[in-house]
Amino acid sequence: MNFARLATNAKRLHMSDTTIGLATRPTAMIDPFGRTISYLRVSVTDRCDLRCFYCMSEDMTFLPKADLLSLEELDRLCSAFIAKGVRKLRLTGGEPLVRRNVMSLIRSLSRHLDSGALDELTLTTNGSQLARFANELHDCGVRRINVSLDTLDPAKFKTITRWGDINKVLDGIEAALAAGIAVKINAVALKNVNEDEIPALMEWAHGKGMTLTLIEVMPMGDIGEGRIDQYLPLSLLRTRLAANYTLADLPESTGGPARYVSVGETGGKLGFITPMTHNFCESCNRVRITCTGTIHTCLGHEDASDLRKPLRASTDNELLNATIDRAIGTKPKGHDFIIDRRHNRPSVSRHMSVTGG
Ligand code: SAM
Ligand code: SF4
């Protein structure tokens, strides 16, 4: 990545905002239901070094590399959203840390932390590459990350991910903690796979000062297996946990889908993300961009607008900003996931690795 050019571009864009006047100043993103968009999740690649069975099929077909936005384009796109009021930026994937030179993008984006335009730069990762990047991430201002880990059992981990080595993930988590990065563990609750292990996973996470968030399987993308076999309602898990632990509801804060409880016995926090059983859409403040520059304003809808074309059409952001505004204007009120025996097919055809979870 050419930093000198990026810096010049950033300066020029900044100048044009102020010199042309209020008419071209990027406007805040407020959707038709009055929700202000301040959180952007960006998938920087659809590729991954693992193949979690609920996420991808083993012979997953990835996008042609030519379709992907370059790192410079990703930087420009993220910066345009930051100029329009995004305060929190999460990089995800696929696996964000397998994108070649991803650290140059992260370093470049960290200028928005330095300027105060951005409150948080973070990522969701499977942790497999974290050991080698942890210190640099901290150096770039990353202070919190989410690491996905569904089990502590090496054999089960291999089964879930199809070939992953759990030790790399555990080393990555230790490296991140040692670097001063707070880690939140995300675990997908899977019927007959890790359901009995949740208390152990929670005790382990809380023992290291990490929050554990449980996620219900969402019906996204054809993965060659029926979702009904994987789906485990978190309400059931919560009831089971409540038999042995003191769970106390915590007030909501993030505007996100997670609901948190404190666990009396461990002193830690446990989150529940329940798209299937709990509607969290009223407070949704986020939009997602794929690695090809498609914006999805709702994880659970097929709605999509292309930002790559306006991004490439011109070096100033006027067209891009107008396209973003139009897309925000289509953000639906809420989603409508269904998994049942009649609908044993994905209700949204794109994979989670495309939108990035
Ligand atoms: N590769 C990174 C990782 O695994 O953390 C980031 C991308 S991954 C798609 C983001 C999150 O989505 C992970 O926590 C993963 O467990 C979750 N996920 C993937 N497919 C899912 C599905 N069908 N239902 C619920 N969560 C899913
Ligand atoms: Fe890769 Fe993350 Fe999907 Fe697992 S959940 S296959 S680590 S993208």
Side-chain angles (χ1 to χ4, degrees):
M1 176 175 283
N2 183 335
F3 290 109
R5 202 175 72 218
L6 270 176
T8 314
N9 282 348
K11 213 162 155 190
R12 203 187 59 227
L13 285 173
H14 177 71
M15 276 172 57
S16 71
D17 281 347
T18 48
T19 51
I20 294 174
L22 283 178
T24 58
R25 196 181 289 280
T27 48
M29 297 173 288
I30 301 174
D31 79 2
F33 303 95
R35 296 168 296 192
T36 300
I37 308 305
S38 57
Y39 181 7
L40 177 67
R41 297 168 82 111
V42 181
S43 173
V44 298
T45 176
D46 65 326
R47 278 153 222 270
C48 188
D49 52 352
L50 303 179
R51 292 287 182 281
C52 302
F53 70 78
Y54 51 77
C55 179
M56 296 184 186
S57 62
E58 190 162 5
D59 58 351
M60 181 82 179
T61 312
F62 295 108
L63 296 163
K65 282 205 172 133
D67 286 359
L68 265 56
L69 295 183
S70 68
L71 294 175
E72 286 85 353
E73 287 171 331
L74 282 167
D75 184 286
R76 192 177 140 210
L77 197 50
C78 291
S79 302
F81 273 91
I82 292 166
K84 286 178 76 54
V86 158
R87 305 287 315 174
K88 176 172 174 179
L89 179 59
R90 177 178 297 279
L91 304 185
T92 176
E95 173 48 39
L97 295 179
V98 302
R99 171 91 196 233
R100 191 191 295 258
N101 283 336
V102 71
M103 283 313 303
S104 67
L105 173 67
I106 295 175
R107 189 163 289 282
S108 169
L109 289 171
S110 73
R111 72 185 185 279
H112 298 298
L113 291 171
D114 298 338
S115 75
L118 197 60
D119 295 330
E120 187 170 26
L121 177 59
T122 184
L123 57 149
T124 300
T125 171
N126 65 27
S128 65
Q129 313 290 321
L130 201 49
R132 62 192 175 108
F133 290 126
N135 284 328
E136 203 177 344
L137 286 169
H138 185 271
D139 199 43
C140 292
V142 175
R143 293 292 178 268
R144 294 196 304 173
I145 54 171
N146 289 359
V147 178
S148 305
L149 181 63
D150 306 323
T151 178
L152 290 173
D153 177 332
K156 215 181 270 184
F157 183 81
K158 193 155 267 176
T159 308
I160 293 172
T161 60
R162 292 205 175 91
W163 55 64
D165 176 1
I166 196 171
N167 289 317
K168 288 192 181 152
V169 179
L170 297 177
D171 289 350
I173 291 169
E174 293 301 337
L177 293 172
I181 300 174
V183 177
K184 195 176 86 176
I185 301 294
N186 283 345
V188 177
L190 299 159
K191 194 164 147 188
N192 297 327
V193 177
N194 64 358
E195 60 181 301
D196 294 338
E197 231 195 299
I198 301 301
L201 199 56
M202 181 182 79
E203 301 243 1
W204 167 80
H206 289 180
K208 291 181 176 295
M210 305 185 291
T211 294
L212 172 68
T213 300
L214 302 173
I215 309 174
E216 271 173 1
V217 172
M218 288 179 253
M220 301 193 65
D222 193 351
I223 51 158
E225 289 164 60
R227 297 282 175 192
I228 193 81
D229 300 331
Q230 303 171 1
Y231 177 59
L232 176 67
L234 292 189
S235 49
L236 185 68
L237 271 187
R238 183 177 170 149
T239 307
R240 282 189 207 157
L241 283 166
N244 293 308
Y245 297 93
T246 316
L247 310 181
D249 284 317
L250 292 169
E252 301 167 20
S253 59
T254 62
R259 298 287 172 268
Y260 289 99
V261 297
S262 65
V263 181
E265 290 69 13
T266 63
K269 254 171 63 171
L270 178 65
F272 298 90
I273 298 185
T274 56
M276 311 301 296
T277 54
H278 182 107
N279 200 313
F280 52 73
C281 304
E282 318 80 55
S283 56
C284 181
N285 62 353
R286 62 194 62 192
V287 293
R288 296 173 165 80
I289 297 178
T290 69
C291 51
T292 57
T294 300
I295 179 170
H296 295 285
T297 57
C298 176
L299 187 60
H301 272 260
E302 296 283 6
D303 78 291
S305 311
D306 176 38
L307 299 180
R308 190 176 54 185
K309 217 174 188 174
L311 185 74
R312 289 183 175 168
S314 142
T315 50
D316 76 46
N317 283 359
E318 222 159 314
L319 191 58
L320 176 64
N321 285 336
T323 315
I324 292 172
D325 287 339
R326 264 200 307 281
I328 301 297
T330 66
K331 186 168 164 68
K333 193 167 181 200
H335 69 224
D336 189 21
F337 285 129
I338 307 169
I339 297 182
D340 66 15
R341 293 196 187 279
R342 269 183 311 123
H343 300 86
N344 200 4
R345 58 184 157 75
S347 63
V348 174
S349 60
R350 60 181 188 265
H351 286 83
M352 196 71 141
S353 53
V354 173
T355 4

